[in-house]
Amino acid sequence: WLNSNTLLFTSTRPQDTTAKSMVYTNRVYQAAYDAGTLASISLATIPQEKGMQQGVVTVTPDGNTMYLTKWGISGDKKSAAIYSSSKTNDGWSEPVKLGESINANGANTQQPFVTADGKYLLFSSNRTGGQGGYDIWYAPLENGATGTPVNMGAAINTSYDEQAPAYHEASASLIFSSNGRVG
């Protein structure tokens, strides 16, 4: 949620429905609600260059900074990184790639999540130093800067892929997907 009346989400839709062969692109959309009823869905105003996909957004508690995944595919190789964007009067600023402490060279880093207190950025990455595959990592957030990432360790991560982290404040539960665990 961006605020109590606006939900941000990722959707894969054709760029041009009139083209003979449709090219599908992941983009960020916003759903506006009025008194709990869906009022409209529109493309979020986040600059997006052609050939790049973007999605999996999270917003800081004050609603002024968005973190998102941007990725491209060249041949059979995916290259994903986390970017930040600032709220402007008419949408969002050009996304800026976070530094190498978050987006390690040669690794894919994706699926950001900011905790409800705004103190931590959770994400998934196949960077070195983990348990194997994609792992869940966290980095402290302070005054808009990210601190040193920490792997959540073997209690959370397996030698397979753990992705899509979210922290549910009310139940103090980390929620994520894993293909290294059953159930």
Side-chain angles (χ1 to χ4, degrees), residues 102-115:
I102 301 296
N103 294 306
N105 282 332
N108 286 311
T109 303
Q110 57 196 23
Q111 304 163 334
F113 180 85
V114 174
T115 56

Side-chain angles (χ1 to χ4, degrees), residues 133-154:
Y134 282 87
D135 280 2
I136 306 295
W137 296 75
Y138 70 91
L141 286 174
E142 191 170 324
N143 300 324
T146 54
T148 302
V150 176
N151 183 280
M152 288 200 166

Side-chain angles (χ1 to χ4, degrees), residues 2 59-66 85-88 92:
L2 175 58
V59 180
T60 56
D62 65 7
N64 291 324
T65 303
M66 171 192 296
S85 178
S86 299
K87 192 171 187 177
T88 66
W92 295 91

